Amino acid sequence: MDSHVPSKLTIVVAAHKQYWMPSDPAYVPVWVNAAQNGSQIPAGWQRDDAGDNISHKNPSFCELTALYWAWKNLQTDWLGLAHYRRHFCARRRGDKRERIATSDDLWHALAQAPIILPKKRRYYIETTYKQYVHAHHEEDLATTRSILAEKYPSYLAAYDASMRRTAGHRFNMFVMRQDLACEYLAWLFDVLFELEARLDTRAYNDYDRRVFGFVSERLLDPWVETRMVPYAEMPVVNLESQHWLKKGTFFVARKVSGGRIGNQH
């Protein structure tokens, strides 16, 4: 790349409804599930069903349909993913919208490392594995592990280690240099498409059918750690109120019952 040409930074913002979006030109709103629900897309937004896409898989792949669209159709030097209500945060004070990282904030972080990840989410009294199986189906992770063992055995140690931890990078959020993003996404979707072929989700409820979006959150750390790519972390700001009491109640109920209760994630 010509060193005199400024690098292009693109953060796709996955959304399934009309919502406020950052004005910074690095942010590109992408309407997900456009193949089934694309009649009310705001002007200037991208559709996830244009070009090479998996829009029809959105009910089970969640925000990943926006990420797949960006990977296959965008020309950019740095690629990232955020959510309509969840963004990288660069400031502690001010209105929530004012705390969202600008291009300058992201460039500053990327000067330190080629990847930005959200600060780790901590479960404290549950491992990543236990948290998942209390909320979803244990078979999801068991099948994922089998796929890694067969197709990508060099990632297995990092996967197992991440399952034993009580914290991890979540939300499928990241910013990566394009070559790393392409490598990661080629690996990720290969694993997920194989998982899709092996899992029988016909008995899953609508929430649990989002399995491929949920599992992908647990695959980012194993990939980064196996590849040994340095990364920077940024906090995440949620533009909507979080019901911590309700989340805590469901968390305790899951622990007591030893099973999946509700749809808190």
Side-chain angles (χ1 to χ4, degrees):
M1 184 173 62
D2 188 336
S3 60
H4 297 290
V5 178
S7 293
K8 184 177 181 180
L9 171 63
T10 305
I11 312 297
V12 295
V13 185
H16 66 276
K17 62 182 180 180
Q18 296 190 35
Y19 204 83
W20 174 90
M21 289 287 165
S23 60
D24 189 301
Y27 290 95
V28 176
V30 178
W31 187 284
V32 299
N33 201 27
Q36 282 82 36
N37 184 31
S39 61
Q40 299 180 4
I41 300 177
W45 287 31
Q46 299 293 325
R47 306 171 60 100
D48 75 343
D49 64 343
D52 189 349
N53 73 87
I54 55 170
S55 177
H56 64 287
K57 295 181 184 289
N58 179 261
S60 57
F61 276 72
C62 311
E63 65 275 0
L64 295 182
T65 62
L67 191 56
Y68 186 95
W69 173 84
W71 171 39
K72 292 296 187 178
N73 298 284
L74 281 183
Q75 294 296 318
T76 191
D77 301 308
W78 300 78
L79 178 63
L81 174 71
H83 303 255
Y84 69 95
R85 62 191 174 98
R86 191 178 286 134
H87 290 269
F88 286 108
C89 175
R91 279 158 285 280
R92 294 178 178 271
R93 301 180 182 277
D95 179 88
K96 286 185 175 182
R97 296 179 181 181
E98 296 173 350
R99 300 181 205 170
I100 295 173
T102 65
S103 294
D104 287 343
D105 297 322
L106 295 170
W107 283 128
H108 179 75
L110 291 169
Q112 316 304 316
I115 296 178
I116 300 173
L117 300 179
K119 282 199 170 181
K120 288 183 177 180
R121 186 171 187 176
R122 300 189 179 279
Y123 301 110
Y124 296 103
I125 62 173
E126 277 194 320
T127 64
T128 291
Y129 182 82
K130 288 294 186 181
Q131 185 276 333
Y132 189 96
V133 300
H134 285 157
H136 309 291
H137 291 268
E138 187 172 17
E139 182 182 0
D140 305 343
L141 296 183
T143 307
T144 299
R145 190 183 189 283
S146 295
I147 293 168
L148 292 178
E150 294 171 22
K151 302 190 70 172
Y152 300 101
S154 63
Y155 290 83
L156 204 55
Y159 177 80
D160 287 343
S162 71
M163 289 294 116
R164 294 191 294 267
R165 297 193 196 110
T166 57
H169 299 103
R170 296 292 179 260
F171 313 129
N172 286 316
M173 291 174 62
F174 65 80
V175 183
M176 292 189 194
R177 199 175 63 218
Q178 180 70 355
D179 61 316
L180 293 172
C182 287
E183 180 183 333
Y184 169 60
L185 295 176
W187 174 85
L188 175 68
F189 283 106
D190 187 51
V191 173
L192 294 180
F193 290 156
E194 183 65 27
L195 180 63
E196 182 184 32
R198 298 189 189 189
L199 273 183
D200 183 356
T201 62
R202 287 174 294 180
Y204 286 21
N205 60 33
D206 288 345
Y207 180 70
D208 284 336
R209 287 195 189 98
R210 295 159 62 185
V211 51
F212 309 108
F214 297 151
V215 168
S216 64
E217 292 185 77
R218 280 79 183 175
L219 289 174
L220 179 56
D221 282 339
W223 184 84
V224 171
E225 291 168 19
T226 301
R227 291 285 287 100
M228 294 187 289
V229 184
Y231 62 85
E233 289 185 332
M234 294 185 75
V236 171
V237 58
N238 194 320
L239 299 183
E240 297 182 350
S241 298
Q242 300 197 71
H243 304 289
W244 293 112
L245 179 59
K246 182 179 178 181
K247 285 177 179 286
T249 300
F250 274 97
F251 179 82
V252 172
R254 287 203 314 259
K255 288 290 290 182
V256 171
S257 69
R260 296 178 298 108
I261 296 178
N263 61 352
Q264 300 303 302
H265 183 64

